[in-house]
Amino acid sequence: MRYWKYMKIIFLVLLSAIIVTLTVQKVPYDQFKYLMNNSLVEHLLHEEPCACGKHCLAASDDNWFSERFRDHVHPLLSLNNSVLSDNIFNWWKTLQSTKSKANYSQVIQKLFSVIPGEDRYRDVGPSRCRTCAVVGNSGNLVGSFYGPLIDNHDFVMRMNKAPVEGYEKDVGNKTTHRFFYPESAIHLDNNTHLVVLPFKLLDIQWITSALSDGSVKRTRFKVIDKLQTNKDMVMIMHPAFIYYVRTTWLHLRRSYPSTGFLVLMFALHICDEVSVFGFGANTKGAWHHYFEEMPKKFRRTGKHPGGLEHQIILELQKRNLIDLYAGW
Ligand SMILES: *[C@@H]1O[C@H](CO)[C@@H](O)[C@H](O)[C@H]1NC(C)=O
Ligand SMILES: *[C@@H]1O[C@H](CO)[C@@H](O)[C@H](O)[C@H]1NC(C)=O
Ligand SMILES: *[C@@H]1O[C@H](CO)[C@@H](O)[C@H](O)[C@H]1NC(C)=O
Ligand SMILES: *[C@@H]1O[C@H](CO)[C@@H](O)[C@H](O)[C@H]1NC(C)=O
């Protein structure tokens, strides 16, 4: 209480001193105002878009980035935003190999009777600094000793069946989010968020069923029918988000982005700082998974546009928008 009184007095004395000095020096009022506006006041009142020291992703003023980044395209499906525009719905239907007769709005309604329908991660603001590690599955992680560095992020995002056990020193031991589709699903512990990538309506029917009656046993082939995971932590990537990544970032007409690229884009949208591990080839030029033997003959990327996706990742790095750890 007492301190406040003293602080106030000191502040008033200082202010008077400044005014007296300025008057004696005959600094014109305009200049005085200018001084106050541009340094002191600005410094005291200006709010940073996020609380990270370095930079805040969504607020980046990089031109190349802002031509592509669409702040308003939310990466997750919620009760509030599940309606799809016709062109997105029609594109999404072309990905499905089976002619599904299911009614989209009924499928969604059923989904959100099993998992929460709330809107998450819309908390960007001056008090948030969320750091995220996106961990791909590349063999360039082998021998990297990135484990502790990866675990040091708020969110650690992994994909598909990538194991942690036995690889901790290179890939870390923490997983806050795991991304997969039905055909690449694994059981999770109950502290991990699951983000399902729906490439077809059946994928949404699968997760609904896998968390309830287990009636969906096949998609493109036999899949896990009863999934162990914490229902309250399950989320679905928005089909409109996949569409946006495909069109705005990759300019694709056919096909869809790779899982790794979708996870990276997800991170760019919900995090303030993003570090990227385990993407691309290893230093020998081999593309393989860190949990598999390096092949004798090196594999090239197939269906996914690995080339363009990789170029974009390098560009993001060059523009200081992500920290890319190239591995070994
Ligand atoms: C889907 O179901 C809703 C009611 O749940 C109904 O209003 C709508 O017409 C149905 N759509 C189609 C294409 O059958
Ligand atoms: C849906 O949006 C409204 C207003 O935008 C909000 O009040 C409501 O909480 C939201 N519901 C969910 C489930 O997120
Ligand atoms: C994860 O690794 C850290 C060291 O990097 C260790 O302190 C921690 O106990 C490990 N946690 C688990 C659950 O193994
Ligand atoms: C989480 O899982 C463990 C074992 O897998 C179980 O013992 C525990 O009760 C679960 N906790 C909750 C909140 O479901």
Side-chain angles (χ1 to χ4, degrees):
M1 285 295 128
R2 258 215 169 139
Y3 276 119
W4 263 121
K5 243 187 198 164
Y6 288 130
M7 292 297 280
K8 265 193 207 160
I9 291 169
I10 290 171
F11 178 74
L12 284 175
V13 170
L14 274 175
L15 193 66
S16 324
I18 291 173
I19 291 172
V20 168
T21 313
L22 291 173
T23 317
V24 170
Q25 307 251 329
K26 294 208 171 65
V27 174
Y29 175 70
D30 274 356
Q31 255 182 46
F32 172 72
K33 214 173 84 181
Y34 180 82
L35 218 75
M36 294 299 274
N37 273 343
N38 282 279
S39 51
L40 194 65
V41 175
E42 174 120 328
H43 242 81
L44 288 176
L45 300 182
H46 178 67
E47 277 201 313
E48 295 294 332
C50 80
C52 297
K54 231 167 67 183
H55 49 234
C56 308
L57 255 174
S60 170
D61 54 8
D62 183 288
N63 275 339
W64 176 86
F65 184 66
S66 32
E67 272 166 24
R68 291 162 178 81
F69 186 77
R70 304 278 182 271
D71 209 6
H72 62 273
V73 185
H74 198 59
L76 291 169
L77 200 59
S78 71
L79 260 177
N80 264 1
N81 68 5
S82 66
V83 177
L84 294 180
S85 68
D86 284 347
N87 65 328
I88 294 178
F89 189 67
N90 289 335
W91 160 75
W92 200 44
K93 271 200 316 204
T94 65
L95 294 181
Q96 348 233 323
S97 45
T98 51
K99 294 269 175 289
S100 171
K101 291 218 175 62
N103 177 319
Y104 174 77
S105 60
Q106 282 168 10
V107 169
I108 295 297
Q109 207 175 13
K110 203 161 167 205
L111 169 75
F112 288 124
S113 71
V114 174
I115 68 166
E118 80 209 47
D119 232 352
R120 296 184 206 243
Y121 306 132
R122 289 201 189 260
D123 53 348
V124 63
S127 62
R128 188 185 86 175
C129 176
R130 176 180 295 142
T131 63
C132 299
V134 177
V135 187
N137 298 343
S138 165
N140 69 27
L141 287 168
V142 177
S144 66
F145 291 94
Y146 285 152
L149 189 60
I150 289 173
D151 288 341
N152 206 21
H153 291 77
D154 298 327
F155 286 0
V156 178
M157 305 180 181
R158 303 184 193 273
M159 52 204 80
N160 299 334
K161 301 187 184 199
V164 166
E165 226 182 295
Y167 302 91
E168 291 89 343
K169 70 176 172 33
D170 292 331
V171 308
N173 61 13
K174 169 171 161 185
T175 307
T176 61
H177 294 71
R178 189 174 284 271
F179 294 71
F180 56 60
Y181 42 90
E183 296 84 2
S184 66
I186 54 171
H187 297 297
L188 301 181
D189 64 37
N190 49 18
N191 311 311
T192 307
H193 287 283
L194 162 60
V195 184
V196 177
L197 305 179
F199 293 114
K200 45 192 180 309
L201 193 54
L202 183 55
D203 296 351
I204 295 182
Q205 292 172 284
W206 166 76
I207 189 64
T208 308
S209 144
L211 298 173
S212 53
D213 63 0
S215 57
V216 176
K217 300 188 188 299
R218 294 182 66 86
T219 54
R220 280 183 299 163
F221 46 80
K222 198 163 176 294
V223 289
I224 295 179
D225 56 354
K226 289 242 178 186
L227 188 70
Q228 287 159 29
T229 191
N230 184 339
K231 268 188 214 183
D232 294 333
M233 296 178 83
V234 175
M235 301 172 251
I236 313 291
M237 188 176 275
H238 205 302
F241 186 77
I242 302 177
Y243 181 83
Y244 142 76
V245 172
R246 169 183 164 272
T247 52
T248 308
W249 284 88
L250 300 172
H251 311 298
L252 295 179
R253 281 160 196 276
R254 280 191 252 161
S255 193
Y256 44 86
S258 71
T259 303
F261 196 74
L262 285 171
V263 178
L264 171 58
M265 288 296 140
F266 180 88
L268 291 183
H269 277 253
I270 70 154
C271 308
D272 300 304
E273 280 183 19
V274 174
S275 308
V276 177
F277 302 85
F279 276 63
N282 69 7
T283 45
K284 295 201 172 75
W287 299 78
H288 69 296
H289 293 147
Y290 66 80
F291 44 90
E292 290 165 359
E293 288 282 311
M294 197 164 94
K296 296 255 157 51
K297 274 191 187 167
F298 297 159
R299 187 153 52 89
R300 286 171 180 278
T301 50
K303 185 167 183 157
H304 300 305
L308 179 55
E309 290 186 354
H310 198 63
Q311 277 169 31
I312 290 174
I313 293 170
L314 295 179
E315 195 66 37
L316 288 165
Q317 155 82 346
K318 203 176 95 188
R319 292 169 182 270
N320 255 323
L321 295 157
I322 59 171
D323 286 319
L324 177 64
Y325 293 83
W328 236 239

